[in-house]
């Protein structure tokens, strides 16, 4: 399939839910394409278009062993007729994420954490280019200028009447696209899944400087990236029971928990027209369940 066709969804469902007395809508990016779903799909689009235009045959990228970006890259590469290579941080392991990547033809290469730190350095990248016969390289997490051009297109699926739009912060690429493309009456409220207030500067540096009416909450990270507490797990289970919308514990679960807390604290009005962006990540749940013995729903 051509890259353009694969990365041009003609429809993204919006689902109305009610939870804790708040009625709001969810943009189900997770429904676009199983596995390659969610924000990663938008982040990859312009990288893949450039790879195609320049005649590359292989895509190479980086990630941790549970990375949504790795899974999405493998699936997208297969669908668009590229070979793919995943440089995975840490010792050789197997888990459902990596199995999914392998199933989609990705060749995996594990490197130790120390070497992995060089992943943005020129020499290291040149070695990889030689070793893997000149692949097109996409950085880890996939946040570059092209990624933000892609995530800006999420806005095309957001009807104008929404005035409060929420999404997760991981590297900021998704929120930056949403902020850059929004209309002035729309407020973007981000929820960081990382610990620390440095994320605010990080996001400020990614967005168009004249854009106003956005905010990043740093209160609901549950200890940091991929950290969790039982309260978060209980929330995800209850949210699914009441709405039938599955959430993952690394990203969307924390955002939705944050949104509900802000509603309970009266920082959100029932007059707001709220759209929560479901950025996907459901492929990671199987591995999470296996590691910690949970039974969270993943579709
Ligand atoms: C990667 C990811 C994010 C974070 O996106 P950034 O652009 O890195 O901020 C959010 N949700 C899911 C499900 C993700 O996989």
């Amino acid at each position: 399939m051509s890259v353009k066709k694969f990365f041009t969804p003609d429809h993204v469902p919006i689902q109305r839910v009610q939870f804790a007395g708040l009625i709001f809508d969810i943009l189900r990016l997770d429904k676009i394409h199983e596995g390659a779903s969610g924000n990663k799909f938008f982040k990859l689009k312009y990288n893949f278009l450039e790879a195609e235009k320049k005649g590359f045959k292989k895509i190479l990228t980086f990630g941790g062993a549970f990375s949504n970006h790795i899974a999405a890259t493998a699936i997208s590469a297969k669908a668009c007729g590229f070979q793919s290579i995943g440089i995975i941080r840490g010792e050789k392991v197997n888990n459902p994420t990596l199995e999914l990547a392998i199933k989609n033809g990705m060749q995996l290469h594990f490197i130790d954490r120390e070497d992995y730190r060089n992943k943005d350095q020129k020499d290291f990248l040149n070695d990889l280019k030689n070793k893997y016969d000149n692949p097109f390289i996409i950085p880890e997490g996939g946040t570059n200028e092209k990624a933000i051009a892609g995530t800006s297109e999420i806005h095309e699926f957001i009807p104008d009447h929404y005035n409060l739009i929420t999404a997760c912060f991981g590297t900021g690429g998704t929120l930056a696209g949403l902020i850059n493309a929004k209309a002035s009456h729309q407020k973007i409220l981000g929820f960081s899944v990382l610990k620390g207030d440095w994320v605010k500067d990080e996001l400020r540096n990614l967005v168009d400087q004249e854009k106003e009416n956005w905010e990043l909450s740093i209160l609901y990270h549950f200890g940091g990236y991929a950290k969790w507490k039982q309260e978060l797990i209980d929330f995800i289970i209850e949210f699914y029971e009441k709405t039938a919308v599955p959430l993952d514990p690394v990203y969307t679960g924390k955002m939705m928990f944050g949104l509900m807390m802000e509603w309970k604290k009266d920082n959100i009005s029932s007059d707001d027209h709220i759209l929560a962006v479901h950025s996907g990540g459901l492929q990671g749940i199987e591995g999470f369940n296996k590691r910690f013995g949970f039974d969270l729903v993943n579709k």
Side-chain angles (χ1 to χ4, degrees), residues 6-278:
F6 179 71
F7 284 100
T8 309
D10 40 33
H11 174 70
V12 180
I14 289 179
Q15 182 176 347
R16 176 146 301 178
V17 297
Q18 179 167 6
F19 188 85
L22 181 66
I23 295 170
F24 66 104
D25 291 345
I26 301 179
L27 182 68
R28 299 288 307 266
L29 298 183
D30 61 299
K31 293 281 194 196
I32 293 174
H33 190 288
E34 209 178 323
S37 64
N39 63 338
K40 297 299 182 282
F41 186 86
F42 289 90
K43 294 178 83 169
L44 291 173
K45 176 175 178 179
Y46 286 97
N47 286 291
F48 270 66
L49 280 171
E50 184 177 328
E52 183 184 55
K53 193 167 122 205
K54 293 190 170 160
F56 284 89
K57 301 276 180 287
K58 286 184 189 177
I59 306 270
L60 180 147
T61 196
F62 307 87
F66 294 93
S67 163
N68 293 326
H69 168 68
I70 286 287
T73 303
I75 290 166
S76 303
K78 185 178 181 194
C80 299
F82 292 99
Q83 294 176 343
S84 65
I85 297 146
I87 306 295
I88 310 297
R89 183 183 62 231
E91 277 158 44
K92 189 166 195 284
V93 286
N94 200 10
N95 67 40
T97 299
L98 298 178
E99 270 164 31
L100 182 65
I102 292 166
K103 205 178 93 191
N104 283 280
M106 186 176 257
Q107 184 187 340
L108 300 181
H109 184 74
F110 295 83
I111 65 175
D112 66 44
R113 280 157 204 275
E114 208 141 305
D115 289 342
Y116 193 85
R117 277 190 217 118
N118 300 326
K119 69 185 173 353
D120 297 322
Q121 284 177 13
K122 234 182 157 168
D123 289 349
F124 183 73
L125 293 176
N126 278 336
D127 283 350
L128 287 175
K129 278 186 188 159
N130 291 333
K131 188 165 176 186
Y132 293 108
D133 196 19
N134 197 31
F136 182 85
I137 296 180
I138 300 178
E140 182 190 35
T143 285
N144 55 16
E145 242 167 70
K146 285 187 214 76
I148 295 174
T151 57
S152 299
E153 294 183 0
I154 298 172
H155 183 74
E156 292 167 18
F157 300 96
I158 300 180
D160 213 42
H161 68 273
Y162 292 105
N163 69 313
L164 181 62
I165 297 154
T166 72
C168 306
F169 176 99
T171 62
T174 304
L175 278 167
L178 287 167
I179 291 168
N180 289 351
K182 80 182 187 68
S184 56
H185 70 279
Q186 294 175 320
K187 175 175 178 173
I188 308 288
L189 175 57
F191 290 94
S192 177
V193 304
L194 311 178
K195 188 172 172 175
D197 57 7
W198 58 273
V199 295
K200 292 189 172 179
D201 287 333
E202 189 90 4
L203 184 56
R204 206 168 287 126
N205 291 333
L206 289 175
V207 302
D208 291 345
Q209 294 309 307
E210 73 276 14
K211 284 286 180 180
E212 290 171 1
N213 204 14
W214 60 267
E215 195 183 317
L216 182 58
S217 165
I218 56 168
L219 298 178
Y220 308 106
H221 55 73
F222 287 88
Y225 182 72
K227 300 274 195 319
W228 53 273
K229 295 192 167 72
Q230 190 60 43
E231 189 184 11
L232 175 66
I233 306 300
D234 293 343
F235 170 78
I236 289 172
I237 292 168
E238 191 189 350
F239 195 84
Y240 182 77
E241 280 169 3
K242 302 244 162 83
T243 66
V245 177
L247 301 172
D248 79 293
V250 179
Y251 290 106
T252 54
K254 291 180 181 179
M255 170 191 72
M256 208 62 88
F257 185 94
L259 176 61
M260 289 306 141
M261 288 302 286
E262 292 300 302
W263 160 241
K264 281 184 190 157
K265 290 179 186 172
D266 267 342
N267 293 334
I268 286 171
S269 150
S270 55
D271 294 336
D272 283 324
H273 295 275
I274 304 168
L275 186 72
V277 176
H278 193 310

